[in-house]
Amino acid sequence: MHQFEKLIIWQKAMDVAVEVYQITAELPLDEKFNLIHQIKKCAVSIPSNIAEGSGRNSNNEFLHFLGIANGSAYELITQLMILKRLELIEVEKVNLIINRLIEITNMNYVLQKHLRSIKI
């Protein structure tokens, strides 16, 4: 088991989740049950899966949840790109979050590679 609170990837994912909640507050209310709901769900899924995986019984289980976290990150990137195309939010704000998500996915791949290299 890992202490997820100490994982930089988890900390960065938590920061992104907070940023996503902040920018979705700027979106039109008619998106409340559509895109806003989906975006928030993905943003929360990333740190949640990192935390859940870290508490599992094996590195293989942790790897599984890191894969889910990465999937959620790519899904969130896609949804943020939709916001840009719809011109619902400032491009700079969206790009900042997308860049952070790319950093998180890169960190995720490195962590997965490290976990696979550990022989237990």
Side-chain angles (χ1 to χ4, degrees):
M1 280 201 272
H2 306 268
Q3 293 179 318
F4 66 88
E5 304 96 327
K6 293 183 179 181
L7 295 172
I8 294 170
I9 187 174
W10 178 84
Q11 295 168 9
K12 289 181 178 283
M14 289 290 288
D15 291 342
V16 165
V18 169
E19 290 175 38
V20 164
Y21 266 75
Q22 291 168 340
I23 69 160
T24 56
E26 301 174 24
L27 295 172
L29 287 179
D30 64 336
E31 285 297 332
K32 184 175 184 180
F33 298 108
N34 296 313
L35 201 49
I36 292 173
H37 173 74
Q38 190 64 28
I39 288 170
K40 287 179 174 179
K41 185 177 173 184
C42 283
V44 169
S45 176
I46 300 165
S48 297
N49 277 292
I50 294 167
E52 183 172 356
S54 72
R56 293 297 175 136
N57 296 322
S58 71
N59 284 343
N60 283 338
E61 288 179 286
F62 193 7
L63 285 164
H64 173 76
F65 282 91
L66 288 173
I68 294 170
N70 247 15
S72 293
Y74 284 113
E75 187 177 353
L76 181 54
I77 289 169
T78 300
Q79 293 159 357
L80 292 170
M81 288 177 169
I82 291 169
L83 288 182
K84 282 182 10 179
R85 286 186 177 200
L86 293 173
E87 298 178 354
L88 292 173
I89 198 118
E90 293 176 36
V91 172
E92 297 81 23
K93 289 181 181 181
V94 174
N95 286 342
L96 183 65
I97 295 172
I98 288 173
N99 288 337
R100 289 189 175 132
L101 286 164
I102 291 168
E103 179 185 19
I104 289 167
T105 59
N106 290 337
M107 292 174 73
N108 192 323
Y109 285 124
V110 170
L111 180 55
Q112 288 181 49
K113 185 177 178 179
H114 172 71
L115 291 172
R116 285 188 186 101
S117 72
I118 298 172
K119 304 290 185 219
I120 298 179

